[in-house]
Amino acid sequence: MTKELRWSELADVKDELAARDWFPGTSGNLSIKVSNEPVTFLVSASGKDKRKRTEEDFLLVDEFGLPAEETALKPSAETDIHCEVYRYTDAGCCLHVHTIDNNIISEMYASEGSITFRGQELIKAFGIWEEDGEITVPIVENYADLKRLAEATASVIQPETKAVLIRNHGITVWGKNAFEAKKHLEAFEFLFSYHIKLKSLNLFQSVKKFSAKKIINF
Amino acid sequence: MTKELRWSELADVKDELAARDWFPGTSGNLSIKVSNEPVTFLVSASGKDKRKRTEEDFLLVDEFGLPAEETALKPSAETDIHCEVYRYTDAGCCLHVHTIDNNIISEMYASEGSITFRGQELIKAFGIWEEDGEITVPIVENYADLKRLAEATASVIQPETKAVLIRNHGITVWGKNAFEAKKHLEAFEFLFSYHIKLKSLNLFQSVKKFSAKKIINF
Amino acid sequence: MTKELRWSELADVKDELAARDWFPGTSGNLSIKVSNEPVTFLVSASGKDKRKRTEEDFLLVDEFGLPAEETALKPSAETDIHCEVYRYTDAGCCLHVHTIDNNIISEMYASEGSITFRGQELIKAFGIWEEDGEITVPIVENYADLKRLAEATASVIQPETKAVLIRNHGITVWGKNAFEAKKHLEAFEFLFSYHIKLKSLNLFQSVKKFSAKKIINF
Amino acid sequence: MTKELRWSELADVKDELAARDWFPGTSGNLSIKVSNEPVTFLVSASGKDKRKRTEEDFLLVDEFGLPAEETALKPSAETDIHCEVYRYTDAGCCLHVHTIDNNIISEMYASEGSITFRGQELIKAFGIWEEDGEITVPIVENYADLKRLAEATASVIQPETKAVLIRNHGITVWGKNAFEAKKHLEAFEFLFSYHIKLKSLNLFQSVKKFSAKKIINF
């Protein structure tokens, strides 16, 4: 029963993100935890059109990303990254999508290794309610070797981390369940798009002038 | 009966705005007045996914934002702002949404404390039909203390005010009913997006040159 | 029968344009010719939410824009513009919509009084198939006096004109039927958006360098 | 049977691309191969509204683009380009669409005659998995003479080519079947939009600074 419920939740999230065109060219993948002992989770099968909803969209895998049921399906080539997220966080659901803006941010701040947002109401979506709350997203290089990429991703996860950007390779974001993972994803995409648009207007200098009493770094 | 009718109107508006992704990360909230004596209104329950339409989306509250019916639901944390709008205006419906562009405008003109639009046909959406009609939106700082934020919002409402921007915290807009509130919201978002795009093209200087006979401030 | 068929065609166009949010804040209006002798056409009733499809969306008017049937509905305040289009062209359908980009173009080129497009494949949508084909859209000032505005619009219509831009007041575009009017509208919006984006990239100078053998003015 | 299956696949792709407004002003056309010996393929009939799904959307043609069945329909004026694609590649499906961004790219790099992308995860959508994988799209001038245009397109097709851009006349992209053709199209559109946005932020110089160890040309 749990598996069917989780499947349905994950398929709903997939439908919604697909409708936004957040899986261009069959990119991206999603997963949702089904059990904790042992760890099993549903993950995207390799290379499907995310616009369609079929019984072959996901398969059950174990903590090492190996099929935990008899199936002809192959787990997504990036399943290792999901494994690392479930190993190092209390995530119940993990989403990986490519958008123009998350790739732009990953490129803009690759040399800094992260981007930090402050002074934005949307930060509350991460459960951060203080006036000066901030959220940081680490950025890692994009290695073609997917084992190495999974390790690089794992290496930047801190207890408060909610997402990792891979340079020109989208965002991997999680939450304790599908609802929270999607909430985090939407909030990050909003912050990314806002940041880029403000940047394109060359408003960051004037912003400093506006806010003498507090340091704001959007 | 009135309550059911209002619920349905508000749910329709919510569906439409959600389809535009104007409630990113479960942000935003909506309300609609049900009775005047005593004042009661339906308001978003806290933390729901606005993409779904359920029987737990709204609850009835009184003029102080306290539940006016037996319910396990919690009113949105920002219900106080809706209370102030109903106290100081003749609004019948009040919408609060985050868009990239309303947040950009709130940041660009925060130091001025407001933005005024002139010379745009869309201003007629506010019932202003004169050739030189103009509409002003006050902008307030975003306080984490929601009581203080509600008071700051209330303090800038003038008789002709149709909306308030909170810095990096979206727009709160109202109308005498759901139809008018949505009309005002759409018109403001159009004016915001137009302004930002013209600004990004560095066209404001040349605009002045074009219009010798009248002063236009888009 | 003709009236019902035309109504249905116009309602279909309205639905499609409304889904693109091209009627922000209840702006915009549409019409379709029903008979030639005498001239009658269906036109948007005043102030409706274009997202809804109802039996009160349109009413039949005569060549002067006066109701040609018994009805409690009021024709759109801008019906005079439709009357002029039917008077001076062989249009069978006329669409008026506001988009960010058509308003930007109307402002950018208001002082020139028109904009001309060349060197774009989409120009074929206007039935212009030559390699050096071009299409010009006149731009008029936006007068609050709607009679004066209708006259100003009429005054710039040439035999080859397919649309008129009103400064910061959207586009009025027509075709011999609903299919062609929508085709023209889509093609113009594409040309407007392309032009603005190329402009924002400051590519017009380099464009000249690229095309030594022919003069291109996008 | 095969014809009906292919028709349905092509109609599904058309619906999805139409929903994204990638056929503005009835522009664009699609085809899918039905048989190899002799070569026959379904291709868009001329001048249809791509938003509607009808039994007259496509017709069967032979390798020369002539009707291979009795029909009153006319093949798209650009059918010759599809013929060339099937002649010089192993394509099973070919899509031609106009987007703002593919036209911008075709104009920006017309003088270079091509654009090459590197360092982007989305390049994997073309079956290129190496860390330094790259993909090149040739760009040809837009000739009004459609025979000449078809020849110009054919002349730049190399074994590894997946698409050709025609200057200010959209992209022609293919794959071994409808699924792959759409995957390629989505990936190219993503790369185009990303490139333009990064360019608009003037980030290409700083990009070079960021990546001392490898040469990246987005």
Side-chain angles (χ1 to χ4, degrees):
Chain A
M1 269 306 281
T2 309
K3 187 184 151 192
E4 281 68 32
L5 274 173
R6 294 297 163 260
W7 181 295
S8 167
E9 286 173 7
L10 195 61
D12 285 352
V13 170
K14 181 177 75 71
D15 285 355
E16 198 175 321
L17 304 185
R20 289 179 185 149
D21 286 325
W22 284 5
F23 299 114
T26 78
S27 67
N29 36 71
L30 313 84
S31 70
I32 195 163
K33 211 188 254 189
V34 172
S35 63
N36 271 309
E37 299 182 8
V39 167
T40 63
F41 61 91
L42 291 163
V43 70
S44 299
S46 189
K48 302 284 178 187
D49 183 345
K50 308 283 191 307
R51 284 255 178 175
K52 298 202 162 72
R53 184 169 179 141
T54 78
E55 294 189 5
E56 304 199 323
D57 287 337
F58 312 114
L59 71 160
L60 194 72
V61 297
D62 65 17
E63 63 179 311
F64 306 108
L66 299 172
E69 59 186 2
E70 233 168 283
T71 177
L73 299 171
K74 264 187 59 180
S76 160
E78 292 165 351
T79 298
D80 280 344
I81 298 176
H82 295 260
C83 292
E84 299 291 329
V85 168
Y86 292 119
R87 186 166 302 136
Y88 290 105
T89 74
D90 59 352
C93 179
C94 178
L95 310 172
H96 168 50
V97 304
H98 288 256
T99 65
I100 300 295
D101 287 356
N102 69 34
N103 272 16
I104 294 275
I105 292 284
S106 79
E107 179 62 32
M108 281 171 79
Y109 296 97
S111 66
E112 279 84 343
S114 69
I115 181 168
T116 299
F117 297 96
R118 295 186 194 87
Q120 279 286 318
E121 179 66 14
L122 259 287
I123 290 171
K124 287 188 187 166
F126 307 106
I128 298 165
W129 290 78
E130 304 91 72
E131 189 147 310
D132 298 325
E134 61 178 52
I135 183 93
T136 295
V137 188
I139 305 170
V140 300
E141 288 293 325
N142 185 23
Y143 302 106
D145 177 339
L146 292 169
K147 280 279 174 201
R148 191 176 169 198
L149 181 58
E151 286 164 17
T153 302
S155 75
V156 294
I157 296 177
Q158 299 293 323
E160 69 280 9
T161 308
K162 310 282 190 210
V164 175
L165 282 165
I166 305 174
R167 190 174 183 170
N168 291 319
H169 182 162
I171 193 172
T172 299
V173 58
W174 55 88
K176 63 177 191 279
N177 51 36
F179 173 82
E180 195 181 270
K182 184 168 79 87
K183 182 168 72 164
H184 290 169
L185 174 58
E186 290 179 357
F188 278 125
E189 292 297 328
F190 187 94
L191 293 172
F192 297 159
S193 296
Y194 175 86
H195 183 90
I196 291 167
K197 197 149 194 181
L198 206 59
K199 194 95 180 174
S200 76
L201 289 160
N202 288 315
L203 284 174
F204 284 94
Q205 288 202 323
S206 50
V207 162
K208 274 174 204 154
K209 193 185 62 188
F210 289 172
S211 25
K213 57 185 180 171
K214 46 181 173 170
I215 298 154
I216 291 179
N217 176 16
F218 294 90
Chain B
M1 266 310 280
T2 309
K3 186 184 152 192
E4 281 69 32
L5 274 174
R6 295 297 164 258
W7 181 295
S8 167
E9 286 172 9
L10 196 61
D12 284 352
V13 171
K14 182 178 74 71
D15 284 355
E16 198 174 320
L17 304 186
R20 290 178 184 150
D21 286 325
W22 284 5
F23 300 114
T26 78
S27 67
N29 36 72
L30 313 84
S31 70
I32 195 162
K33 210 188 254 189
V34 172
S35 64
N36 271 310
E37 300 182 8
V39 167
T40 62
F41 60 91
L42 290 164
V43 70
S44 298
S46 190
K48 302 285 178 186
D49 183 345
K50 307 283 191 308
R51 284 254 177 176
K52 299 204 161 70
R53 185 168 178 142
T54 78
E55 294 188 5
E56 304 200 324
D57 287 337
F58 311 114
L59 71 160
L60 193 73
V61 298
D62 64 17
E63 63 179 311
F64 306 108
L66 300 172
E69 58 186 2
E70 232 168 283
T71 177
L73 299 171
K74 265 187 60 180
S76 160
E78 291 165 351
T79 298
D80 280 343
I81 298 176
H82 294 260
C83 292
E84 299 292 330
V85 168
Y86 292 119
R87 186 166 302 137
Y88 290 104
T89 74
D90 60 351
C93 179
C94 179
L95 310 172
H96 169 50
V97 304
H98 288 256
T99 66
I100 301 294
D101 286 356
N102 69 33
N103 272 14
I104 294 275
I105 292 284
S106 80
E107 180 61 33
M108 280 171 78
Y109 296 97
S111 65
E112 280 84 343
S114 70
I115 181 168
T116 298
F117 298 95
R118 294 186 195 87
Q120 279 286 316
E121 179 66 13
L122 259 289
I123 290 171
K124 287 188 187 166
F126 307 107
I128 298 166
W129 290 77
E130 305 91 71
E131 189 148 311
D132 298 326
E134 61 178 52
I135 183 93
T136 294
V137 188
I139 306 170
V140 300
E141 288 292 325
N142 185 23
Y143 302 106
D145 176 339
L146 292 168
K147 281 279 174 201
R148 192 176 167 196
L149 181 58
E151 286 164 18
T153 303
S155 76
V156 295
I157 297 177
Q158 300 293 324
E160 70 280 11
T161 308
K162 309 283 189 209
V164 175
L165 282 165
I166 305 173
R167 190 173 184 172
N168 291 320
H169 183 162
I171 193 173
T172 298
V173 58
W174 55 87
K176 63 178 192 279
N177 51 36
F179 173 82
E180 196 181 271
K182 184 167 79 88
K183 183 168 72 165
H184 290 170
L185 174 57
E186 289 179 358
F188 278 125
E189 292 297 328
F190 187 94
L191 294 172
F192 297 158
S193 296
Y194 175 87
H195 183 90
I196 291 168
K197 196 150 193 178
L198 206 59
K199 194 95 180 176
S200 76
L201 289 160
N202 288 315
L203 285 175
F204 285 93
Q205 289 203 322
S206 50
V207 163
K208 275 172 204 154
K209 193 184 63 187
F210 289 172
S211 24
K213 58 187 173 141
K214 46 181 173 172
I215 297 154
I216 290 178
N217 175 16
F218 294 91
Chain C
M1 268 308 282
T2 309
K3 186 184 151 192
E4 281 69 32
L5 275 173
R6 294 296 165 260
W7 181 294
S8 167
E9 287 173 8
L10 195 61
D12 285 352
V13 170
K14 182 178 73 72
D15 285 355
E16 198 174 320
L17 305 185
R20 290 179 184 151
D21 286 326
W22 284 5
F23 299 115
T26 78
S27 67
N29 36 73
L30 313 85
S31 70
I32 194 162
K33 210 187 255 188
V34 172
S35 63
N36 271 310
E37 300 182 9
V39 167
T40 62
F41 60 92
L42 290 164
V43 70
S44 299
S46 188
K48 301 285 179 186
D49 182 346
K50 307 283 190 308
R51 283 254 178 177
K52 298 204 161 70
R53 184 169 180 141
T54 79
E55 294 188 4
E56 305 200 322
D57 287 337
F58 312 114
L59 72 160
L60 194 72
V61 298
D62 65 17
E63 62 178 313
F64 307 108
L66 299 172
E69 58 186 2
E70 233 169 282
T71 176
L73 298 170
K74 266 187 58 181
S76 162
E78 292 165 351
T79 298
D80 280 344
I81 298 177
H82 295 260
C83 293
E84 299 291 331
V85 168
Y86 292 120
R87 186 166 302 137
Y88 290 104
T89 75
D90 60 352
C93 179
C94 179
L95 310 172
H96 168 50
V97 304
H98 288 256
T99 65
I100 300 294
D101 287 356
N102 69 32
N103 272 15
I104 294 276
I105 291 284
S106 79
E107 179 61 33
M108 280 171 77
Y109 296 97
S111 66
E112 280 85 343
S114 70
I115 181 167
T116 298
F117 297 95
R118 295 186 194 87
Q120 280 285 317
E121 179 66 14
L122 260 287
I123 290 171
K124 287 187 187 167
F126 306 107
I128 299 165
W129 289 78
E130 305 91 72
E131 189 148 311
D132 298 325
E134 61 179 51
I135 183 93
T136 294
V137 188
I139 305 170
V140 299
E141 289 292 325
N142 186 23
Y143 303 106
D145 177 339
L146 292 168
K147 281 278 174 202
R148 191 176 169 197
L149 181 58
E151 286 164 17
T153 302
S155 75
V156 294
I157 296 177
Q158 300 292 323
E160 70 280 9
T161 307
K162 310 283 189 210
V164 175
L165 282 165
I166 305 173
R167 190 173 184 172
N168 291 319
H169 183 161
I171 193 172
T172 298
V173 58
W174 54 88
K176 64 177 191 279
N177 51 36
F179 172 82
E180 195 181 270
K182 183 168 79 89
K183 182 168 71 165
H184 291 170
L185 174 57
E186 289 179 357
F188 278 125
E189 293 296 328
F190 187 94
L191 294 172
F192 297 158
S193 296
Y194 175 86
H195 183 90
I196 292 168
K197 196 150 193 178
L198 206 58
K199 194 95 179 174
S200 76
L201 289 160
N202 287 315
L203 286 175
F204 284 93
Q205 289 203 322
S206 50
V207 162
K208 274 174 204 154
K209 192 183 62 187
F210 289 173
S211 25
K213 58 186 174 147
K214 45 180 172 172
I215 297 154
I216 291 178
N217 175 16
F218 294 90
Chain D
M1 269 306 282
T2 309
K3 187 184 152 192
E4 280 69 32
L5 274 173
R6 294 296 164 261
W7 181 294
S8 167
E9 287 173 7
L10 196 60
D12 285 351
V13 170
K14 182 178 74 69
D15 284 355
E16 197 174 319
L17 304 185
R20 290 180 184 149
D21 286 325
W22 284 6
F23 300 114
T26 79
S27 66
N29 36 73
L30 313 84
S31 71
I32 194 162
K33 210 186 256 190
V34 172
S35 63
N36 271 309
E37 299 182 9
V39 167
T40 62
F41 60 92
L42 291 164
V43 70
S44 299
S46 190
K48 302 286 178 187
D49 183 346
K50 308 283 191 308
R51 283 254 177 177
K52 299 203 162 71
R53 184 168 180 144
T54 78
E55 293 188 4
E56 305 199 322
D57 287 337
F58 312 113
L59 71 160
L60 194 72
V61 297
D62 65 17
E63 63 179 310
F64 307 107
L66 300 172
E69 59 185 2
E70 231 168 285
T71 176
L73 299 171
K74 266 187 59 180
S76 160
E78 292 165 350
T79 299
D80 280 344
I81 297 176
H82 294 260
C83 293
E84 299 291 330
V85 168
Y86 292 119
R87 186 166 302 137
Y88 290 104
T89 75
D90 60 352
C93 179
C94 178
L95 311 172
H96 168 50
V97 304
H98 288 255
T99 65
I100 300 295
D101 287 355
N102 69 33
N103 272 16
I104 294 275
I105 291 284
S106 79
E107 180 61 35
M108 281 171 78
Y109 296 97
S111 66
E112 280 84 344
S114 69
I115 180 169
T116 298
F117 297 96
R118 296 185 194 87
Q120 280 286 317
E121 179 65 15
L122 260 288
I123 290 171
K124 287 187 187 166
F126 307 107
I128 299 165
W129 290 78
E130 306 90 71
E131 189 148 310
D132 297 326
E134 61 179 52
I135 183 94
T136 294
V137 189
I139 305 170
V140 300
E141 288 293 325
N142 185 23
Y143 302 105
D145 176 339
L146 291 169
K147 282 278 175 201
R148 191 176 170 198
L149 181 58
E151 286 163 18
T153 302
S155 74
V156 295
I157 296 177
Q158 301 293 322
E160 69 279 10
T161 308
K162 310 281 188 210
V164 175
L165 282 165
I166 305 173
R167 191 174 182 172
N168 291 319
H169 184 162
I171 193 172
T172 298
V173 59
W174 55 87
K176 64 177 191 280
N177 51 37
F179 172 82
E180 195 180 270
K182 184 168 78 89
K183 181 168 73 166
H184 290 170
L185 174 57
E186 289 179 357
F188 278 125
E189 292 298 328
F190 187 94
L191 293 172
F192 297 159
S193 296
Y194 174 86
H195 183 90
I196 292 168
K197 196 151 194 179
L198 206 58
K199 194 96 178 172
S200 76
L201 289 159
N202 288 314
L203 285 175
F204 284 93
Q205 289 203 321
S206 50
V207 162
K208 275 174 202 152
K209 192 184 63 186
F210 289 172
S211 25
K213 57 187 178 162
K214 47 181 172 172
I215 297 154
I216 292 178
N217 176 16
F218 294 91

